[in-house]
Amino acid sequence: MNLGAAALTAATGLTGLGTVAAALTPARRRAGLVGATVAAAGVAGAVAGLSALAGQSWQAWWPWLLPLAGVRLAADPLSGWFLLLIGGVAAIVGVYTIGYAGSSGRGASSRGALAALPVFACAMLMVPVAASVSTFLLAWELMAASSLLLVLTEHRRRASVRSAAVWYAVMTQAGLVVILLGLVWLATACGGESFTAIRAAATDLPGWVRAGVFLLTAAGFAAKSGLVPLHPWLPRAHTEAPSHVSALMSSAMVKLGIYALIRVGMDLLGGGPAWWWLLLGASGALSALYGILQATLASDLKRLLAYSTCENAGLITLAVAAAGVLTALHRPALAGVALGAALLHALNHAAFKSLLFCCAGSVVHATGTRDLDRLGGLSKRMPVTTGLFTVGALAAAALPPGNGFVSEWLLIQSLVGGLSSTKVVIMIAAPTAVAVVALTAGIGVATFVKALGTGFLARPRGEGAAGAQESPAAMLAGMALAAAGCLVLALAPQITGPGLERVAGRLRMGSPLDGSGVTLRLNDIASTLAPAAIAGALVALLATVAVTARLLGRRRRAAVRAWDCGAGPLTARMEYTSTSFAEPLQRVFDRVIRPEQDVDVTHHVGSDYLVASVAYRREIPDRIEGRLYRPLLAAGRAWGRAARALATGSVHRYLTYMLVALLVVLMARVIR
């Protein structure tokens, strides 16, 4: 047994230990023990990933463990990348859970919620190493079921949790159905369900079979990644789940949809025609734009972060699609750069989104609210959380020296390289994709300036924010680990070069970047980047400005009250709220988002001129949900009401149904 297999075995054992600890230990120790086992299992999973990325592949088969098919596991560099990602997030969340669940009086500290947490983490670790259709589907469904239980953690307190869980359950099971159809079809056509057998036979299948399998599985995997229009579950589930669960789902689980797209589309099917990937890229671009627009208008902090996940999942999918198109055009070097951008952005997003969701949990823990319009003033009351949120916001805004900037720069380089194609479709798609990435980056800056400025700076606008205190040490330690990951990936992204090279080689693409030295050099593209030098220059510039301002203003400094236009001291009511900050951007995209607004003016009794109060309400509905899903739900309800007429309770009618069905089957058999 090599290191990777041993580490994964240890992670599985730690999962069992954590589940037993959640069920048997007293409440005061439960969160600490479960959090420690999840963190340790995450470290073991990360070690297994590093082992696979280093070239230590392995396979295992237990025919007795699952009826008919057995359980097959295997690790290759692609598996290793996602094992590293999932393991790192699980380690962060495990440490964070010790403080979050241990100090929370909510359902996060219950036996059921803590027992499901290690199972969820282990199921996610099993998905990348599944090496057969049955094993993959088993791990996928275990991941979905355990995450659903975690989303339901606080269902007794809020009806919105139950609604979110219903949406999540329906969408994830519908996705499972189409994935099941696609993979079973593929296994049947190839004459075997192991990935090895499928890989050997898939390239000889008819084109329509391969296209059908790809479209079915891509739809299911896109639903798990929250791509538009299959996204409605994501902002609901991520918002209503406990924050440590939101971090796991957004940072790790969503990425497994991306993993599965790469595994099935590029590995098992061996790639495909350009139109496959153009369709996928269109979905990714739409998700990126729609997600960041909804995020910038959201006043709920966790909802903002959830829609930001839609945006980043769209960007990652766009990079995967670019790699597929460039492979179809026989440009493996550029395809490797695009794939490297996808994988690096997946890792970067895992780091900064786990940090941001944990910071959001810290805010909710301290204030009892996630409404940005009622926050503010947290920079003085929660300075550590504010500083860590700033690191995550810088990364999520894709500004240097944040780690999100590096991977988006890689994506743009691969798209710009595709402009040299002579195909008309690519000549149109490539600049459009560049424009999408640039627009999402610009709106993303406004989104996180809003979140940081209105949520953490200025004066508190609510009682919860005014009385906030810093979070427990374990929560801060988990957030600090995530921030450290962001900083390492921002300053030294070239350390990922060898791993990306092995993954690209496994998928028959060129090496994306040179992993040596301190400068990021793209192979076969005349473009370089020095993130550490950029960070050093920015720090030096800020230090120079600060020192110069202090020296020049030393003799003229005086404490005076801020200018208030003669209206008296400034109050929290005079500050920008989240809603007012986003209002100018809302006006720009009014025709797209179509917000619903209402002003309710209440007059004093007996007077039409004296105003007692003015209430303003604004709601940003999900237009895709309203146009697509509400008619489907209405049709389903109508069908259900019509079907009740068939179930009258009459035995004679039921026997008639059976007789008619039997006659239809016999007639079909005779005709055949």
Side-chain angles (χ1 to χ4, degrees), residues 122-172:
C122 183
M124 288 193 293
L125 288 172
M126 290 298 110
V127 170
V129 294
S132 66
V133 170
S134 56
T135 305
F136 178 86
L137 292 173
L138 177 64
W140 192 267
E141 182 60 13
L142 181 60
M143 173 183 69
S146 55
S147 60
L148 176 61
L149 292 176
L150 290 167
V151 169
L152 280 165
T153 297
E154 297 181 3
H155 72 280
R156 298 181 186 275
R157 292 181 171 85
R158 301 190 303 277
S160 56
V161 175
R162 297 190 289 274
S163 174
V166 170
W167 273 92
Y168 179 46
V170 171
M171 294 295 290
T172 196

Side-chain angles (χ1 to χ4, degrees), residues 554-636:
R554 177 176 296 176
R555 297 180 180 179
R556 288 182 267 176
R557 291 180 64 187
V560 296
R561 195 177 75 181
W563 182 53
D564 53 22
C565 303
L570 297 176
T571 67
R573 288 177 57 84
M574 301 175 184
E575 297 171 352
Y576 273 106
T577 63
S578 170
T579 302
S580 60
F581 187 94
E583 197 267 347
L585 196 60
Q586 171 199 311
R587 288 181 178 273
V588 174
F589 294 98
D590 258 350
R591 292 185 178 274
V592 177
I593 58 177
R594 296 185 180 180
E596 297 175 357
Q597 301 178 98
D598 181 46
V599 178
D600 186 13
V601 180
T602 303
H603 298 273
H604 284 286
V605 177
S607 173
D608 292 335
Y609 301 100
L610 298 178
V611 175
S613 64
V614 178
Y616 171 77
R617 181 189 65 85
R618 186 199 70 170
E619 183 178 352
I620 307 295
D622 191 322
R623 291 296 172 186
I624 293 178
E625 178 184 323
R627 295 291 181 89
L628 178 62
Y629 289 95
R630 287 180 185 173
L632 288 176
L633 292 174

Side-chain angles (χ1 to χ4, degrees), residues 132-133 183-199 201:
S132 66
V133 170
L183 291 182
V184 170
W185 185 9
L186 179 61
T188 303
C190 292
E193 65 127 19
S194 72
F195 285 177
T196 302
I198 292 173
R199 202 175 283 119

Side-chain angles (χ1 to χ4, degrees), residues 149-294:
L149 292 176
L150 290 167
V151 169
L152 280 165
T153 297
E154 297 181 3
H155 72 280
R156 298 181 186 275
R157 292 181 171 85
R158 301 190 303 277
S160 56
V161 175
R162 297 190 289 274
S163 174
V166 170
W167 273 92
Y168 179 46
V170 171
M171 294 295 290
T172 196
Q173 292 307 306
L176 177 68
V177 168
V178 294
I179 293 169
L180 175 66
L181 290 174
L183 291 182
V184 170
W185 185 9
L186 179 61
T188 303
C190 292
E193 65 127 19
S194 72
F195 285 177
T196 302
I198 292 173
R199 202 175 283 119
T203 54
D204 297 327
L205 295 178
W208 65 272
V209 173
R210 299 174 72 244
V213 169
F214 177 80
L215 292 175
L216 283 172
T217 54
F221 299 144
K224 181 61 71 177
S225 295
L227 297 182
V228 174
L230 304 173
H231 69 289
W233 69 270
L234 192 148
R236 288 179 167 87
H238 286 36
T239 300
E240 299 300 338
S243 294
H244 64 301
V245 177
S246 302
L248 270 176
M249 294 176 71
S250 182
S251 304
M253 186 187 75
V254 166
K255 305 305 184 308
L256 289 175
I258 306 297
Y259 160 78
L261 280 171
I262 298 173
R263 176 64 75 189
V264 174
M266 294 183 174
D267 182 23
L268 299 185
L269 293 176
W275 69 264
W276 290 11
W277 306 105
L278 289 172
L279 284 177
L280 188 64
S283 177
L286 178 61
S287 301
L289 281 176
Y290 191 77
I292 198 59
L293 277 177
Q294 290 287 342

Side-chain angles (χ1 to χ4, degrees), residues 96 301 355-367 375 377-393 451-452 455-457 468-480 483:
Y96 181 84
L301 179 57
L355 171 58
L356 289 171
F357 265 114
C358 288
C359 287
S362 178
V363 171
V364 175
H365 178 272
T367 65
L375 292 174
L378 299 181
S379 58
K380 293 182 179 179
R381 293 161 181 81
M382 304 177 68
V384 178
T385 298
T386 302
L388 294 172
F389 187 90
T390 302
V391 174
L452 182 62
F456 291 85
L457 304 180
Q469 294 181 350
E470 192 58 272
S471 297
M475 293 173 64
L476 297 179
M479 293 187 287

